[in-house]
């Protein structure tokens, strides 16, 4: 597994911190929460996508794909946070309430669970590989 440099690691931690602050601020109905969460999600996902696995272990490759899926879900959660502020999607109000309003929380929860599971299992699989 390719290790990130110290600057890339700091950027990844900053992205994670921004995501936590943005999602926490949205609980208190702050209008700027999406503007903090989105750059954090982009930073976190970009730095995690820079890590590569060149080995042939199928389990690690599968877990890596799960991490990439969780990164995409973090970005979708950011998009839904912006859609939660104002309905910029071309749908009627009833469909907006049913499918979009506050559903970023569900997407964020799924992404976080995938991230926790895959990173925990990946550490275990990489330790077995050594």
């Amino acid at each position: 597994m390719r290790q990130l440099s110290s600057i890339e690691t700091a950027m990844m931690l900053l992205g994670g911190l921004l995501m936590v602050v943005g999602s926490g601020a949205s609980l208190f109905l702050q209008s700027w929460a999406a503007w903090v969460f989105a750059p954090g999600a982009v930073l976190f996902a970009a730095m995690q996508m820079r890590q590569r696995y060149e080995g042939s272990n199928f389990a690690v490759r599968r877990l890596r794909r799960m991490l990439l899926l969780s990164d995409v879900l973090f970005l979708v959660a950011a998009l839904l946070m912006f859609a939660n502020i104002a309905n910029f999607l071309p749908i009627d109000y009833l469909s907006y309430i049913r499918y979009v309003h506050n559903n970023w929380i569900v997407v964020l929860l799924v992404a976080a669970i995938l991230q926790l599971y895959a990173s925990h299992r990946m550490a275990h699989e990489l330790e077995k590989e050594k």
Side-chain angles (χ1 to χ4, degrees), residues 3-20:
Q3 295 297 318
L4 296 175
S5 69
S6 60
I7 293 173
E8 291 171 333
T9 303
M11 289 173 64
M12 187 171 176
L13 289 174
L14 176 66
L17 180 66
L18 287 174
M19 287 194 314
V20 168

Side-chain angles (χ1 to χ4, degrees), residues 20-97:
V20 168
V21 168
S23 60
S26 70
L27 294 175
F28 299 109
L29 302 175
Q30 300 296 320
S31 61
W32 49 266
W35 295 99
V36 174
F37 183 86
V42 169
L43 265 176
F44 186 82
M47 290 304 112
Q48 197 164 46
M49 288 179 189
R50 287 189 50 83
Q51 289 180 324
R52 300 242 186 255
Y53 177 70
E54 281 91 25
S56 61
N57 188 343
F58 179 74
V60 176
R61 295 171 73 85
R62 177 184 56 88
L63 292 167
R64 177 81 180 117
R65 284 192 298 268
M66 287 176 68
L67 286 175
L68 294 178
L69 175 63
S70 72
D71 290 338
V72 169
L73 289 176
F74 282 138
L75 297 175
V76 169
L79 179 68
L80 288 175
M81 280 182 86
F82 281 116
N84 201 33
I85 294 172
N87 184 10
F88 64 84
L89 301 172
I91 56 176
D92 62 309
Y93 186 71
L94 188 60
S95 296
Y96 167 76
I97 293 297

Side-chain angles (χ1 to χ4, degrees), residues 101-123:
H101 186 69
N102 285 339
N103 281 341
W104 66 269
I105 298 168
V106 175
V107 175
L108 180 63
L109 179 65
V110 170
I113 290 171
L114 279 174
Q115 187 76 222
L116 283 172
Y117 172 75
S119 60
H120 179 267
R121 290 294 306 150
M122 186 176 285

